[in-house]
Amino acid sequence: MQETAHAQIAVFKSAESPWLKDIVLTGLIEGGITANPARPDNGINFGNFLGDHANQAQLNQLSLTLTKPIDPTKSTYQVGFTIQGLYGSDARYYHLLGVSNRAIGDRYQLIPAQAHVDVHAPLLTPGGIDMQVGILQAPMGVEVLDPTARPFYTLAYTSQYSVPFEHLGAMFHWHITKMFDFNFGIDTGNQTTFGGNDNNNAAAGYFGFNVNGLADGKLNIVELSRVGPENGVGALGPIANTAQRFWNDIAAYYTPTDKLSLTGEFNFLHDNGLHAETWSVVTFAGYKITPSLTFNYRGELYRDSTGLFVVSFLNNQAYMNAFKGGYAPAESAPATTYGALTLGVTYKPDLGHGVRVFALRPEIRFDRSLNGTTPFNDGRNSGVFTFGGDAMIGF
């Protein structure tokens, strides 16, 4: 897997306060394209959020992040924060209801991707407890919004349809031993806030664990489960307040050598309100050919038992409108078992001269229905071949 790499600017480098000296500013700009030789009539790459517009280059992200980090290895009370603003096409899928979803109706939108206070408290165990409160990026799953922290431009089905994206709430990480962490949290729901900006009247929460440093420090395991109502009253009626959704994700990260990294993810989701389930297995591999060139592989098997989860939205606000049960033109498919294979390389040279992040990531992807349905290219094809990728620069 590709490592996260951001430039850092010390905002208060000359300040007398040590707390202020640690505040850093990072920036990133990313753009990409997903080409589809079949040229679907509606212009949409079905089952693809970030590269949804076929054969169109776009600005995915322009982000600025202000951070005061905490160090959980130190046995002292610490307070920090993260504030991140993001503009681009990716923002369409990462809003919180009532915060930013109505601000801009165009393809390029603006979100507060993160805005949270971070606290480390040396309580209960030697490792203490870490806490984040505010607008949080959802912790479940392998692939994340930050493109420097994932190996591909496009996302797996699991990362789009079977894990949450954004929360307003609190997460806690309890370091019980050096090898074992217990994680838990509570929030208003996936991409919702309070009152009329919540799609139901119930909260949801996480619980899970990390096992760190197995196999001589080469293997880490992360399990996270989530329970709570997630459907909108506007879509299901009052039952949405009590109909539970159960999300479960476990991932193993193994680095047998300095050049090779392997990741496996299993996900299972059950929704009582929709009477629907998904399950999936995703495997990743990364091999460093040279210090600046990495070969990446991703293979996925994903089952949508009802066809209610794998959906492509046909205008710029449809995804968020669907949370409230509003007008949301979309393209869907019958119950389908999807197979997907993605191959690519990451070229990440050290340019120097103040440029700390530069990467080019071409990829080739093939998606196919494994049970005879035809979900791709306006319902014409059982499979689809796409190619493209992205470029990014950080400062």
Side-chain angles (χ1 to χ4, degrees), residues 50 72 91 139 169 200 259 264 337 355 395:
L50 305 188
N200 57 58
K259 291 188 174 182
T337 302
V355 178
F395 48 90

Side-chain angles (χ1 to χ4, degrees), residues 151-395:
F152 294 103
Y153 173 50
T154 60
L155 297 175
Y157 290 92
T158 303
S159 305
Q160 297 176 108
Y161 299 108
S162 293
V163 298
F165 281 178
E166 290 277 327
H167 297 305
L168 179 64
M171 281 295 300
F172 300 84
H173 310 274
W174 183 10
H175 306 287
I176 295 177
T177 70
K178 289 184 178 180
M179 291 188 63
F180 187 83
D181 299 335
F182 178 62
N183 305 315
F184 57 99
I186 188 169
D187 55 71
T188 56
N190 181 34
Q191 298 185 255
T192 65
T193 54
F194 295 106
N197 294 311
D198 195 353
N199 58 358
N200 57 58
N201 295 323
Y206 285 98
F207 57 93
F209 62 85
N210 295 11
V211 182
N212 311 304
L214 299 174
D216 296 324
K218 297 178 180 180
L219 174 64
N220 297 319
I221 297 173
V222 179
E223 191 281 335
L224 204 57
S225 295
R226 176 176 173 81
V227 180
E230 297 288 356
N231 297 300
V233 173
L236 298 187
I239 193 176
N241 291 315
T242 55
Q244 305 294 311
R245 180 177 296 181
F246 302 89
W247 326 56
N248 303 276
D249 190 272
I250 186 167
Y253 302 85
Y254 183 50
T255 53
T257 70
D258 291 339
K259 291 188 174 182
L260 178 64
S261 62
L262 304 171
T263 302
E265 179 181 16
F266 174 75
N267 185 287
F268 176 76
L269 183 154
H270 176 80
D271 191 292
N272 286 339
L274 298 176
H275 304 289
E277 291 181 348
T278 71
W279 63 262
S280 59
V281 177
V282 197
T283 56
F284 301 82
Y287 184 80
K288 289 186 178 180
I289 302 169
T290 70
S292 61
L293 186 66
T294 301
F295 169 78
N296 295 307
Y297 148 90
R298 179 180 63 206
E300 182 178 26
L301 185 65
Y302 184 93
R303 173 63 178 174
D304 180 359
S305 67
T306 58
L308 295 176
F309 278 88
V310 179
V311 175
S312 282
F313 296 91
L314 302 182
N315 69 33
N316 294 321
Q317 292 186 308
Y319 175 81
M320 291 306 302
N321 286 347
F323 276 83
K324 294 282 286 184
Y327 175 65
E331 180 182 21
S332 61
T336 298
T337 302
Y338 297 88
L341 173 66
T342 311
L343 302 175
V345 295
T346 298
Y347 176 57
K348 188 180 176 183
D350 183 1
L351 299 183
H353 304 289
V355 178
R356 300 290 185 85
V357 181
F358 176 79
L360 302 174
R361 298 191 301 182
E363 69 173 55
I364 299 173
R365 176 168 175 162
F366 181 68
D367 298 61
R368 184 175 179 83
S369 164
L370 302 180
N371 65 321
T373 61
T374 57
F376 303 106
N377 301 321
D378 306 302
R380 292 183 281 117
N381 302 124
S382 61
V384 62
F385 169 80
T386 57
F387 64 94
D390 64 348
M392 67 185 82
I393 187 168
F395 48 90

